[in-house]
Amino acid sequence: MDSHKIEYPALFTSSDNYSIKAQNNFKNLNKWTLVALVVATVFSSVTQENWAIWTSTALILVSAILSTLMLVLKFEKGWYEGRAVAESIKTLCWKFMTGARPFSIDLNETKAQNLLIENFKKVIGHRKDFFTLIGSDFAENEQLPVELLNIRKLSKEERIAIYKTQRLEKQKKWYTDKTTENKKWTKISFVIIIVAQVLAITSLILKIKFEFEFSIAPILVTISTAFIAWLQLRRYQELSQSYLITATELSLIKSKINQVKTESDFSEFVDDSETAISREHTLWLARRDNIELFK
């Protein structure tokens, strides 16, 4: 039963790919902006020779250009709008495959497909600007992969098994892995911030006591500030808590799968599961632009 391949529509693939690309661009622009500022501080602190001053000036100019690009290109908007579309499409597909409402298993094949297409249109209607950005490549590819139809035709027991392994367990593992990753980077970031601040204080004390002409305190303060900015940007701590809560909720929901006896039970079970998944992403989006995830 696990051999069934899950193939999502081109709408999902295009939105997902664009979101990942926009996210990487957004992170890279922010990262190199901070790096340029830190290096500029290093050069200006080490020496006041002309070459160092000009290098620092150039790096600050690079930082300003990168900041302007972030404002103009709006990669963050493409990132979370793409994510919203991709997650919406994925939720609709799983409800369709499992026969959950509104795609009741009692609906004939044509009506169910038409209803799915209508819901795809609603997603597009709410994201017209986004679909202008990603181009028309999705329009030329399959929007109703045969795999979706084949899984919908399986027995209830087979659909339950596929939903459990291919959706719940994979999604739970994703949240668990992300929780671990975000906790790790939270600790690393705080260690660097604290160490940099302690060394900066030590450097200033030594400078006062021994009357050193040179101090690395400005460099360390800049490094600490850069990591604080990066920590706020990535929201490691906040995301780790959010992912952990969702992973726990999915685990509790999955434990009820043996209680599913009828198609109605299964529809309600899938609805609860998808609501839990959507809730986490809706909150993620709301923290950025008050965008709701489509149902």
Side-chain angles (χ1 to χ4, degrees), residues 22-37:
Q23 180 188 17
N24 289 334
N25 288 335
F26 176 73
K27 289 192 296 186
N28 287 333
L29 280 176
N30 278 279
K31 178 177 68 178
W32 290 113
T33 297
L34 294 174
V35 168
L37 290 173

Side-chain angles (χ1 to χ4, degrees), residues 11-180:
L11 280 172
F12 169 82
T13 304
S14 298
S15 302
D16 186 54
N17 289 340
Y18 187 89
S19 178
I20 292 171
K21 182 179 177 181
Q23 180 188 17
N24 289 334
N25 288 335
F26 176 73
K27 289 192 296 186
N28 287 333
L29 280 176
N30 278 279
K31 178 177 68 178
W32 290 113
T33 297
L34 294 174
V35 168
L37 290 173
V38 170
V39 176
T41 304
V42 171
F43 280 116
S44 62
S45 299
V46 170
T47 178
Q48 291 300 308
E49 293 184 19
N50 286 339
W51 69 267
I53 296 174
W54 282 111
T55 302
S56 296
T57 302
L59 288 169
I60 294 173
L61 178 60
V62 168
S63 176
I65 292 172
L66 293 177
S67 298
T68 303
L69 287 175
M70 279 190 281
L71 178 64
V72 173
L73 298 178
K74 298 180 179 178
F75 284 128
E76 187 180 21
K77 186 175 179 63
W79 166 21
Y80 57 67
E81 287 208 345
R83 190 82 267 124
V85 171
E87 293 301 325
S88 298
I89 297 297
K90 186 182 282 189
T91 289
L92 288 170
C93 287
W94 275 108
K95 287 189 172 185
F96 175 84
M97 286 186 282
T98 56
R101 58 177 177 264
F103 310 103
S104 171
I105 204 69
D106 296 330
L107 287 176
N108 68 50
E109 187 173 301
T110 301
K111 286 185 178 180
Q113 289 182 39
N114 288 339
L115 184 57
L116 182 60
I117 291 171
E118 285 302 313
N119 276 273
F120 286 169
K121 288 180 179 179
K122 289 180 182 179
V123 173
I124 294 174
H126 283 87
R127 288 290 187 277
K128 290 180 181 178
D129 291 340
F130 174 74
F131 284 100
T132 300
L133 286 175
I134 66 174
S136 59
D137 59 317
F138 67 89
E140 300 171 1
N141 297 309
E142 183 60 53
Q143 297 302 343
L144 285 178
V146 67
E147 288 79 7
L148 299 184
L149 306 176
N150 290 339
I151 292 174
R152 183 178 171 83
K153 294 175 182 177
L154 297 175
S155 68
K156 173 169 59 64
E157 289 70 24
E158 289 176 307
R159 283 181 280 120
I160 290 174
I162 289 172
Y163 187 72
K164 177 183 176 182
T165 57
Q166 298 296 314
R167 181 57 163 166
L168 291 183
E169 291 180 0
K170 283 188 175 182
Q171 197 70 32
K172 180 177 174 292
K173 183 179 184 304
W174 188 89
Y175 284 126
T176 303
D177 291 345
K178 286 294 182 181
T179 298
T180 302

